[in-house]
Amino acid sequence: VPSDLRIMIGDLVIPITPSEEYKEVYVASGKAVKNVTKTSKTDLKNLNGKIFYATSFNSSSLMALSAANGQLYKKIDFSSIPSDFKMVRNGNYMLLTTTNKPKLYVIDANKGEVLKEIEIGKKPSSIAISETDGAAYVANKQDGTISVIDLKDMSVKETIDVLGNPSYLTLSYNEKQLYYLDGTTGTVYALVKTPNYFVPYVSSPLFKSNNIKQIQFLDNKLYTFNRSSNELEVFYTEGQSK
């Protein structure tokens, strides 16, 4: 539970029902737990040489952990809590934003080192990746803009002015539409693809919902998580509404 919500919702007791369908690796305090009971040695072999990257609302750090045993072997500290990160260029690099810095950090995912800092808008909150176009899109909530990043030279190509305060981004399956949530009003908008990247589609907002936490696109549908009603909402993007 994000730290900014704990004071509002109080203590939660969420029952967990064990399932044989899933296998789990247990990690505690950055150290591997010795008695791993639900993960076989065969499963762990498949994780050898792999890296888990994780962030936490409790620290301003990006943590690199061994996927095989959960051992913390490297940590990158930032001056602000990470808000989003995405892997790019076949997993060799990572793009990361933090809540209070107008920067996009380019990280070598293999070495766990910050290679570059790119100046973007204020309060960056979400990243969407288009491998087809070789571009990353970063929502700058406070500025009301979306930064377009060239993944080849890791530089800002363009800054798009949009309606509202973009909080979350997601691309359609054909990457012809870029959807974003206005975190202030709860309205979801679409930017449609043109030869010059995206232009605002402002004639009619797609839909509006209360207290949306996240949006995702799959099979011509937009999925939203509504924290007020405890519902997963499905919006059809072709021919129908909710």
Side-chain angles (χ1 to χ4, degrees):
V1 179
S3 58
D4 57 344
L5 292 179
R6 290 175 191 163
I7 191 172
M8 292 187 289
I9 63 177
D11 294 329
L12 291 178
V13 178
I14 303 174
I16 303 296
T17 303
S19 172
E20 295 300 323
E21 183 179 355
Y22 303 102
K23 298 183 183 298
E24 302 172 15
V25 177
Y26 294 92
V27 180
S29 301
K31 297 180 179 179
V33 177
K34 293 182 180 179
N35 298 322
V36 178
T37 58
K38 292 190 177 182
T39 304
S40 67
K41 292 182 179 179
T42 303
D43 295 324
L44 290 178
K45 286 182 180 179
N46 296 329
L47 298 177
N48 287 336
K50 303 295 183 181
I51 301 172
F52 281 147
Y53 281 100
T55 60
S56 170
F57 283 102
N58 294 326
S59 68
S60 301
S61 304
L62 173 70
M63 295 166 285
L65 308 128
S66 167
N69 59 23
Q71 183 70 46
L72 175 66
Y73 71 91
K74 190 155 190 178
K75 185 174 71 168
I76 305 175
D77 293 321
F78 298 91
S79 59
S80 178
I81 296 175
S83 54
D84 196 10
F85 69 92
K86 291 290 190 300
M87 308 299 291
V88 296
R89 291 173 59 173
N90 298 318
N92 290 310
Y93 299 91
M94 183 186 305
L95 303 180
L96 180 142
T97 55
T98 62
T99 54
N100 293 324
K101 290 291 182 181
K103 292 182 179 181
L104 179 69
Y105 297 92
V106 181
I107 300 168
D108 186 321
N110 299 304
K111 297 180 180 179
E113 298 176 354
V114 177
L115 302 177
K116 187 176 183 180
E117 298 180 10
I118 304 172
E119 294 290 333
I120 53 176
K122 295 178 181 178
K123 294 284 184 182
S125 58
S126 178
I127 305 171
I129 304 297
S130 171
E131 296 289 356
T132 302
D133 294 335
Y137 303 94
V138 184
N140 306 309
K141 186 175 181 179
Q142 185 171 326
D143 284 358
T145 63
I146 296 175
S147 298
V148 184
I149 310 298
D150 189 332
L151 295 180
K152 291 182 179 179
D153 59 11
M154 297 297 182
S155 64
V156 178
K157 275 186 175 182
E158 185 181 6
T159 300
I160 305 173
D161 293 318
V162 298
L163 295 176
N165 304 103
S167 297
Y168 296 107
L169 299 175
T170 187
L171 282 159
S172 63
Y173 72 96
N174 59 7
E175 299 187 350
K176 298 296 184 183
Q177 290 85 31
L178 177 66
Y179 299 96
Y180 73 90
L181 168 69
D182 176 6
T184 302
T185 66
T187 303
V188 175
Y189 293 92
L191 306 183
V192 295
K193 191 68 176 290
T194 68
N196 297 317
Y197 305 105
F198 294 92
V199 295
Y201 178 77
V202 298
S203 60
S204 59
L206 297 182
F207 56 86
K208 182 177 180 179
S209 187
N210 294 322
N211 207 3
I212 294 177
K213 172 61 180 175
Q214 184 63 272
I215 61 174
Q216 292 292 333
F217 187 94
L218 181 66
D219 295 333
N220 291 324
K221 303 180 188 71
L222 274 171
Y223 294 83
T224 69
F225 295 98
N226 189 314
R227 292 189 298 195
S228 296
S229 60
N230 297 327
E231 292 178 334
L232 173 66
E233 300 173 324
V234 183
F235 295 88
Y236 294 87
T237 58
E238 293 183 1
Q240 302 181 62
S241 55
K242 185 176 178 181

